[in-house]
């Protein structure tokens, strides 16, 4: 049994899950479980991947395995509630979601889904939500149609990046209606729910690598994307968007500045010293070109460019007007004179100006 190998497989599963490669994620989570079969988090994440694929029975079984090793895990109870609900086992879903709430689950969908269960069953919230899990499927009338589950819109991509104090997630949905965008922040979770212009729903749910400050986090809806900025609780470099960070402890991570410094020292590509020499040579060539003194027409053009570059707005306007109206034969910076009337054509001595039709 190798904890390190299990963590590597688990991280690979999280990466595949973020990329919406749920079958591949399940394979990686299964590998992690084969190396460490008593870690409840591995079962919880695999159950979520099964749920994304509509495999409700497998998802329920994984939540039961997770609860064997972590019976008071609010996230395990919450996932079990989701799985029961997807399988139309509404009474069981209600019980599981009630236990998740009792043990402190903060995910925004927990309360919403529990409320739906009470509405469907015609019950009221229990004062004591600690009833044990049941394996008996609730009987549902044949004409009952459960409220639709949120579905993931295919081919909608998201990406993320970070700075010292913020982790930013971009969800690439064009022309989303701000009224149809709901973003929920909690200490270790991000949930994005969007009603698309097509009428379908998009949902993104992330278990974050490190903790954030929900009240300082914010989002904005732009023309091509939804930009979500999460305030980091501890200003360290996140090794990934999802997962448990470095042993789940922000104190063992390093600051962004320190990480950048270590990367700069650690990564020294082949030919690095030669690259520095070429950089110096390139800088020298740029300096030589800057100091080079042109001759003939080149010198005249440089003079005109320098005059225009350092001119005032009025002088620029005078230069443009005089040059255009005179057919390129006059260039003046005196707007008081040029602005009064059209600039006449003044060809050089011995030459005649002709208009081409």
């Amino acid at each position: 049994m190798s904890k390190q190998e299990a963590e590597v497989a688990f991280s690979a599963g999280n990466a595949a899950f973020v990329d919406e490669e749920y079958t591949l994620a399940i394979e990686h989570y299964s590998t992690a479980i084969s190396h460490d079969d008593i870690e409840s988090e591995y079962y919880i994440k695999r159950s979520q991947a099964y749920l994304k694929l509509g495999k409700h029975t497998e998802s329920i079984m994984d939540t039961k395995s997770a609860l064997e090793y972590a019976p008071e895990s609010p996230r395990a109870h919450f996932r079990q509630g989701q799985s029961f609900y997807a399988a139309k086992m509404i009474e069981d879903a209600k019980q599981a979601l009630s236990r998740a709430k009792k043990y402190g689950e903060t995910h925004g969908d927990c309360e919403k889904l529990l409320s739906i269960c009470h509405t469907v069953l015609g019950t009221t919230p229990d004062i004591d939500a600690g009833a044990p899990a049941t394996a008996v499927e609730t009987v549902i009338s044949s004409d009952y149609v459960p409220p639709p589950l949120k579905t993931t819109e295919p081919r909608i991509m998201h990406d993320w990046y970070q700075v010292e104090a913020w982790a930013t997630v971009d969800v690439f949905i064009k022309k989303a209606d701000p009224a149809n965008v709901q973003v929920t922040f909690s200490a270790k979770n991000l949930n994005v729910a969007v009603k698309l212009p097509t009428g379908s729903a998009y949902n993104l749910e992330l278990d974050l690598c490190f903790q954030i400050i929900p009240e300082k986090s914010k989002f904005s809806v732009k023309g091509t994307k939804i930009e979500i900025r999460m305030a980091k609780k501890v200003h360290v470099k996140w090794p990934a968007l999802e997962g448990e960070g470095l042993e789940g402890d922000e104190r063992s991570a390093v600051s962004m500045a320190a990480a950048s410094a270590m990367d700069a020292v650690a990564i020294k590509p082949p030919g690095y010293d030669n690259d520095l020499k070429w950089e110096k040579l390139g800088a020298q060539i740029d300096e030589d070109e800057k100091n080079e003194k042109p001759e003939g027409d080149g010198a005249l053009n440089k003079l005109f460019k320098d005059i225009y570059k350092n001119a005032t707005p009025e002088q620029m306007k005078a230069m443009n007007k005089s040059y255009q109206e005179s057919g390129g034969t006059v260039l003046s910076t005196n707007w008081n004179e040029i602005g009064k009337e059209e600039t006449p054509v003044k060809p050089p001595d011995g030459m005649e100006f002709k208009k081409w039709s």
Side-chain angles (χ1 to χ4, degrees):
M1 182 183 296
S2 170
K3 181 67 174 177
Q4 184 177 4
E5 290 177 321
E7 286 296 320
V8 169
F10 183 63
S11 297
N14 288 338
F17 190 95
V18 169
D19 292 336
E20 300 179 3
E21 297 287 345
Y22 303 123
T23 301
L24 180 59
I26 289 170
E27 292 178 7
H28 288 305
Y29 292 143
S30 298
T31 300
I33 291 170
S34 70
H35 289 295
D36 184 1
D37 61 357
I38 62 172
E39 175 54 63
S40 63
E41 185 64 22
Y42 299 167
Y43 293 102
I44 293 173
K45 288 297 292 186
R46 192 172 70 174
S47 75
Q48 188 180 6
Y50 277 132
L51 192 59
K52 291 288 187 180
L53 295 176
K55 297 184 177 182
H56 308 144
T57 301
E58 292 87 343
S59 181
I60 292 171
M61 294 304 296
D62 268 354
T63 60
K64 290 182 177 180
S65 295
L67 289 169
E68 287 181 12
Y69 303 111
E72 295 185 1
S73 167
R75 184 50 51 92
H77 286 291
F78 172 56
R79 295 289 178 227
Q80 188 172 75
Q82 285 184 310
S83 302
F84 278 138
Y85 178 81
K88 300 182 181 180
M89 300 167 66
I90 309 302
E91 177 63 36
D92 294 325
K94 184 192 78 171
Q95 295 293 341
L97 293 167
S98 297
R99 291 190 297 274
K101 183 179 177 182
K102 173 186 176 182
Y103 290 126
E105 177 57 56
T106 58
H107 196 290
D109 282 351
C110 182
E111 186 69 40
K112 294 176 186 176
L113 200 55
L114 180 58
S115 177
I116 291 173
C117 290
H118 281 300
T119 300
V120 171
L121 297 171
T123 58
T124 55
D126 300 324
I127 298 176
D128 181 8
T134 175
V136 180
E137 182 172 351
T138 302
V139 177
I140 307 217
S141 62
S142 58
D143 58 348
Y144 164 69
V145 178
L149 289 173
K150 295 175 181 177
T151 58
T152 302
E153 181 76 5
R155 308 315 304 166
I156 291 179
M157 305 297 291
H158 67 273
D159 200 0
W160 81 289
Y161 59 92
Q162 61 178 313
V163 293
E164 189 79 19
W166 300 88
T168 301
V169 174
D170 288 335
V171 181
F172 297 101
I173 300 177
K174 293 182 179 180
K175 298 179 181 179
D177 184 349
N180 293 330
V181 177
Q182 181 178 359
V183 178
T184 305
F185 302 99
S186 61
K188 282 269 289 179
N189 302 102
L190 169 68
N191 183 269
V192 184
V194 184
K195 183 179 179 181
L196 301 173
T198 59
S200 56
Y202 170 81
N203 181 262
L204 175 65
E205 182 180 317
L206 300 175
D207 295 324
L208 302 173
C209 180
F210 286 143
Q211 292 190 20
I212 63 171
I213 306 174
E215 57 270 22
K216 291 186 178 180
S217 300
K218 52 192 176 182
F219 74 96
S220 59
V221 180
K222 302 181 181 297
T224 58
K225 65 181 180 180
I226 301 169
E227 183 180 85
I228 303 161
R229 300 188 68 203
M230 299 176 289
K232 295 180 180 178
K233 184 175 182 180
V234 179
H235 295 178
V236 296
K237 181 178 180 180
W238 290 12
L241 179 60
E242 286 197 287
E244 290 300 320
L246 299 177
E247 299 180 359
D249 188 353
E250 288 93 332
R251 291 172 298 177
S252 64
V254 294
S255 69
M256 291 285 287
S260 298
M262 288 190 291
D263 290 343
V265 172
I267 302 173
K268 191 172 182 180
Y272 175 78
D273 294 332
N274 290 334
D275 289 343
L276 290 180
K277 293 177 182 178
W278 280 109
E279 287 179 7
K280 291 180 181 178
L281 179 59
Q284 183 61 49
I285 291 173
D286 291 341
E287 185 65 22
D288 291 343
E289 290 180 348
K290 181 180 178 182
N291 296 329
E292 183 180 0
K293 295 182 178 179
E295 299 178 358
D297 291 342
L300 187 60
N301 288 333
K302 184 177 185 303
L303 174 63
F304 290 157
K305 288 180 180 179
D306 289 343
I307 293 174
Y308 191 83
K309 181 176 65 175
N310 298 317
T312 64
E314 275 198 352
Q315 289 173 333
M316 290 181 180
K317 188 162 57 173
M319 292 175 72
N320 288 327
K321 183 175 184 295
S322 62
Y323 189 82
Q324 292 175 5
E325 292 179 349
S326 69
T329 60
V330 176
L331 184 65
S332 173
T333 59
N334 187 346
W335 177 251
N336 291 332
E337 176 185 312
I338 297 299
K340 293 178 180 179
E341 57 186 4
E342 184 175 344
T343 306
V345 177
K346 295 182 180 180
D349 294 341
M351 300 186 71
E352 181 182 356
F353 179 81
K354 290 186 178 181
K355 289 187 177 181
W356 294 91
S357 57

